[in-house]
Amino acid sequence: MIFFASPVWADAVADGRKIMTEGGGGVIACATCHGVNGEGMAAAGFPYLAGQGATYLAEQLKNFAAGERHNPVMEPIAKAMNPAQIEAVSIYLSQLPKPYDALALTNMVETYPDKSAMGAWVANRGDWDNNIPACIQCHGPGGVGVGASFPALAGLPANYMRQQLIDWKAEKRPAGPLSLMGDIAQRMSDQQISAVADYFGGLPAGAATKAAVTTKSGAR
């Protein structure tokens, strides 16, 4: 459900919907790559945008437009967008239903996973010997995102997340608020990067399986 807080907000949402579904003014429809509901296309490595924070989405588009973040598909699209279009589509996408069950995911926090499960360990407990905090400290329990600057990670394509961490590590992407992600990624090993990406990529499926097992057990 999309909420309209004011006429101005409603106009922005309407304009954003048009950009998302139809494009315009040299801008191709976002749905072409990110799905009609902003759910992404995991097989092609296109992340979901639905339910991510408007401020975060707008910042990424501005970074692409400025050439501070690189992607051969997104850079020309962002450069073709004016500030009003960036704001409108970011607001619209932020209001779309998230493509995951946030409550189920928050119940997936593994307080003390098997330490051999590197992705689960770093995501939930970090690697303090190397000054790497747990991912969920900023991105929320189950990786569902927190506030304006920390997007949801759960369910993003693993290859997409892996590439973003590699780009941060190589200083090919803006380091983010307080330079957190740039600094953290540089301290992560390649093995940790791959393991964390795989872990968050598979979280929604894991949450659904856990919920199904719990329901079945409770029905006995």
Side-chain angles (χ1 to χ4, degrees), residues 81-161:
M81 299 177 75
N82 61 46
Q85 288 175 316
I86 287 176
E87 180 181 12
V89 78
S90 298
I91 290 172
Y92 175 70
L93 288 165
S94 73
Q95 298 296 294
L96 290 176
K98 297 176 175 62
Y100 53 79
D101 184 335
L103 181 59
L105 282 167
T106 57
N107 291 328
M108 284 294 290
V109 176
E110 299 179 72
T111 305
Y112 203 87
D114 188 325
K115 199 165 186 177
S116 65
M118 183 181 292
W121 185 272
V122 175
N124 292 282
R125 297 190 66 83
D127 174 9
W128 288 104
D129 289 341
N130 292 297
N131 199 23
I132 298 170
C135 305
I136 66 169
Q137 287 183 260
C138 290
H139 293 278
V144 298
V146 174
S149 299
F150 299 101
L153 303 179
L156 288 173
N159 285 340
Y160 169 80
M161 284 188 280

Side-chain angles (χ1 to χ4, degrees), residues 182-209:
D183 291 346
I184 291 169
Q186 289 181 17
R187 292 193 289 270
M188 294 178 73
S189 68
D190 292 345
Q191 292 80 6
Q192 287 175 324
I193 284 174
S194 288
V196 165
D198 289 339
Y199 174 76
F200 279 113
L203 264 189
T209 299

